[in-house]
Amino acid sequence: MTQTLPATAGLAVEPNTSPARSGRIASPSGQLSRVMPLMRKYEVAHLTPSSQICETLVPAPAAPLFEAAFAAFGRGAILQTDHGPMAIEDLLPGDRVMTTHHGLQTLLWKGAMTLEPSQTSASAMTRITADALGLGRPAMDLVLGPSAHILHKSPAIKALTGTTEALIPIGDFVDGNQLVALHPVSRVQVYQIGFARHTCVNVNGIAVETLHPGPAHLFNARAEIQQHFEELFPHVQTPAAFGPMVAPRLRLDDLALVQVA
């Protein structure tokens, strides 16, 4: 197993850095002509073709497109493996994990990042109390990250998409009672996992989406950004290699509109 020595994840641009260090370049007139995005380090572990585990810290923009691929599960989320229940933080590439759509699958990729203390909705985690979404859903309290999507079934989904289920952001279900937004007051580690095919995993009775960057049109970014993005996923050749999604992504408000109509 190859491994890069761990370092604290977080924003790589420090407060009060100079324009040169932060990517802000002054023009001959003295005006700042461009602003490069802040960078952070993402923790990536993947299974190589020779079945070795490679762990690295990858610098990439601290932007929603990137962070959304790393922030689905909070520590303590329990998944089923061929060796029994295992916490998300203990999983490693090569482990066999039970999925909702494809049975036992080999874990090929695991990503992690650190959420900084914040009161913004973009960094809010969600605590789901036991039985909040039905009996045994979840079986015990569960904390999911800000980018988690859960598999949801509704007649309105069929009216919108022709399918019976869709992936809905967990934050859309927050009601302040049984589903509560949590704003980290200290650094918190969050995770995501990826397989050869897009799927969901059963976490404490809740089907949670695994890694998929989304439809191809989301990658119409400039070459530099796309290169950074692809470096985070060495287990695939191109974003197209993620394949089809098991269900469309929708917002809960979309379903409400259909039900009202």
Side-chain angles (χ1 to χ4, degrees):
M1 179 173 74
T2 59
Q3 183 173 14
T4 300
L5 292 176
T8 302
L11 298 181
V13 176
E14 302 171 354
N16 302 319
T17 51
S18 70
R21 290 187 61 192
S22 65
R24 294 172 292 176
I25 308 301
S27 67
S29 66
Q31 298 297 314
L32 296 179
S33 59
R34 66 186 178 93
V35 177
M36 295 295 287
L38 294 176
M39 303 288 281
R40 70 150 67 236
K41 290 181 179 177
Y42 298 88
E43 300 176 33
V44 173
H46 76 282
L47 198 66
T48 69
S50 59
S51 297
Q52 298 296 307
I53 300 173
C54 180
E55 296 180 286
T56 57
L57 290 174
V58 182
L65 173 66
F66 293 78
E67 295 179 344
F70 287 79
F73 301 95
R75 289 181 64 88
I78 303 297
L79 289 74
Q80 298 300 317
T81 76
D82 58 348
H83 295 298
M86 189 174 294
I88 184 73
E89 60 267 26
D90 296 327
L91 286 174
L92 289 172
D95 287 336
R96 298 275 289 170
V97 181
M98 182 62 69
T99 69
T100 58
H101 292 75
H102 307 302
L104 278 172
Q105 293 289 303
T106 300
L107 183 65
L108 299 182
W109 180 94
K110 178 182 175 182
M113 60 175 252
T114 301
L115 292 180
E116 302 291 332
S118 174
Q119 292 297 312
T120 66
S121 59
S123 64
M125 302 182 74
T126 301
R127 178 182 294 280
I128 312 171
T129 59
D131 301 328
L133 299 177
L135 184 62
R137 301 186 63 234
M140 61 186 74
D141 285 12
L142 171 65
V143 176
L144 295 178
S147 69
H149 286 67
I150 66 171
L151 198 65
H152 183 66
K153 297 183 179 181
S154 164
I157 294 172
K158 188 170 182 63
L160 278 174
T161 68
T163 64
T164 59
E165 53 192 16
L167 298 161
I168 311 292
I170 188 59
D172 286 6
F173 295 91
V174 167
D175 59 12
N177 183 20
Q178 292 182 299
L179 289 97
V180 182
L182 302 177
H183 297 280
V185 295
S186 61
R187 290 183 163 189
V188 175
Q189 197 84 347
V190 286
Y191 307 86
Q192 180 57 292
I193 53 176
F195 302 90
R197 294 182 287 179
H198 183 230
T199 188
C200 295
V201 289
N202 190 304
V203 185
N204 300 13
I206 303 293
V208 183
E209 182 188 15
T210 62
L211 176 69
H212 197 293
H217 71 268
L218 293 179
F219 299 101
N220 293 329
R222 67 179 189 267
E224 178 189 5
I225 295 298
Q226 185 159 338
Q227 179 182 352
H228 277 304
F229 192 80
E230 292 178 0
E231 288 173 351
L232 296 171
F233 311 109
H235 67 298
V236 297
Q237 297 299 314
T238 67
F242 284 99
M245 300 180 66
V246 295
R249 289 179 183 148
L250 295 176
R251 301 302 301 260
L252 201 58
D253 286 348
D254 298 331
L255 306 186
L257 291 173
V258 172
Q259 292 167 341
V260 168

